[in-house]
Amino acid sequence: MMNVQALLQMNTIFISILIESLPFILLGVLISGIIQMFVSEEMIAKIIPKNPILSVLSAIGAGVSFLACECGIVPITRRLIAKGVPLSAAIAFMLSAPILNPIVLFSTYIAFGNSWSMVFYRGGIAFVVVLIIACILSFQFKTNQLKQEHIEHIHHHKLTFKDKITGMFKHSIEEFFSVGKYLIIGALLAAAIQTFLKTSLLLEIGQGKLSGNAVMMALSYVMSLCSQADAFVASSFRSTFSPSSLVAFLVFGAMFDIKNTIMLLGTFKTKFVLCLMAYIFISVLGLTLLFIS
């Protein structure tokens, strides 16, 4: 009976993750299709500043105004890189959009009882982490790190508007089935771990300051919550964990979780994804321990 209950619970979590993520995936692949058919490499070259620092800051600015979660942003990021956006700027956009957009920050404000301090901590730490990661990537990786490095060049001037619309939907459908399988695998893994990993064990481990932050980051990774709802879950731990641990939960989980790790592994080279995860983990852990009591 216990096994049946566990499987039913796992199924419920799995379906809830899919329902939560699918709208953003659909939005992401549609925008990816628009970029593919309506945005040329020449347009990208004109829009993106030549200065590496300005290109990263402009990417963060675009991320702030973009309403997306950490899984829906992956296909958009892949298409931007394929169109010629520098890796550091594209990743800055990918990391900032799910956490610095107004809806996420407002939900954090509401979840923590109309408190601005948690909003400033979450937004500020996330902004610094993105800058650190972008700087590291610009020095370490000189290629785009996509698994499929071949860039399909579209001759935009030869296509009619009808051709572009048709191509947009065709590309979006192909992109959906390409990234959709990774979302399903990631959601299934997240549901299984949430079902069979005892949260009480994590709570026992995370009583120290360092361990508390690390445990909450691990918990955010496992739970794979949408960044627009994770603040309400984090607020439920206020009596158990410190503000530092809660911010670590809110920042790391919005940038990396199980489902988007699987999607990233399907998009980027494995070494790059592992390096990215390690850099984000170390940056979030260090900054929350250093600046938040």
Side-chain angles (χ1 to χ4, degrees):
M1 179 64 69
M2 197 65 183
N3 288 336
V4 174
Q5 290 179 346
L7 289 174
L8 288 174
Q9 181 185 352
M10 177 178 154
N11 182 61
T12 301
I13 295 171
F14 171 69
I15 292 173
S16 67
I17 292 174
L18 284 184
I19 292 174
E20 190 178 62
S21 304
L22 275 176
F24 297 102
I25 292 291
L26 290 170
L27 177 63
V29 298
L30 182 61
I31 293 174
S32 175
I34 293 172
I35 293 172
Q36 172 71 355
M37 299 308 301
F38 289 93
V39 180
S40 67
E41 287 81 354
E42 292 76 17
M43 291 170 63
I44 291 288
K46 290 179 181 178
I47 294 171
I48 299 296
K50 301 298 182 184
N51 185 287
I53 296 175
L54 290 179
S55 69
V56 168
L57 291 176
S58 64
I60 294 174
V64 170
S65 61
F66 197 85
L67 307 180
C69 74
E70 67 282 355
C71 49
I73 205 73
V74 174
I76 302 173
T77 303
R78 175 168 71 174
R79 185 50 47 194
L80 288 173
I81 293 174
K83 285 286 184 177
V85 174
L87 179 67
S88 57
I91 297 301
F93 171 75
M94 184 184 79
L95 296 179
S96 59
I99 191 170
L100 293 177
N101 74 70
I103 291 182
V104 170
L105 295 179
F106 181 69
S107 70
T108 304
Y109 173 75
I110 297 297
F112 284 89
N114 301 340
S115 170
W116 284 108
S117 62
M118 192 61 67
V119 175
F120 290 136
Y121 280 138
R122 184 180 195 182
I125 294 292
F127 181 78
V128 176
V129 168
V130 172
L131 288 180
I132 291 173
I133 299 304
C135 289
I136 294 174
L137 296 182
S138 65
F139 283 105
Q140 183 177 0
F141 298 100
K142 303 303 180 184
T143 60
N144 64 30
Q145 296 302 303
L146 293 174
K147 277 193 170 181
Q148 297 178 347
E149 294 193 17
H150 172 69
I151 299 174
E152 181 185 356
H153 183 74
I154 303 294
H155 297 282
H156 295 265
H157 58 281
K158 295 181 179 180
L159 297 175
T160 65
F161 182 76
K162 182 180 178 181
D163 291 335
K164 290 182 178 181
I165 291 292
T166 303
M168 179 193 77
F169 283 111
K170 180 182 177 182
H171 174 80
S172 297
I173 293 169
E174 291 174 351
E175 191 87 2
F176 176 77
F177 285 106
S178 175
V179 301
K181 60 178 178 288
Y182 298 114
L183 172 65
I184 292 172
I185 294 170
L188 190 60
L189 283 173
I193 294 174
Q194 284 189 52
T195 302
F196 298 105
L197 179 67
K198 293 183 178 179
T199 307
S200 58
L201 178 62
L202 292 177
L203 296 176
E204 289 176 10
I205 298 172
Q207 294 306 307
K209 188 173 182 180
L210 175 62
S211 61
N213 286 30
V215 162
M216 286 300 282
M217 290 166 71
L219 190 61
S220 69
Y221 183 81
V222 168
M223 294 184 76
S224 297
L225 298 167
C226 175
S227 58
Q228 297 179 8
D230 58 1
F232 295 96
V233 175
S235 66
S236 68
F237 289 103
R238 279 185 289 184
S239 61
T240 310
F241 288 93
S242 68
S244 177
S245 299
L246 298 179
V247 174
F249 176 95
L250 291 171
V251 175
F252 186 74
M255 294 183 177
F256 245 97
D257 59 30
I258 291 177
K259 64 181 186 298
N260 91 313
T261 299
I262 301 297
M263 294 177 69
L264 287 170
L265 287 170
T267 302
F268 295 96
K269 296 175 181 178
T270 302
K271 178 185 175 182
F272 172 77
V273 175
L274 294 178
C275 286
L276 183 62
M277 180 189 290
Y279 296 151
I280 293 174
F281 185 90
I282 293 169
S283 299
V284 173
L285 183 61
L287 288 170
T288 51
L289 288 173
L290 189 61
F291 293 107
I292 308 172
S293 58

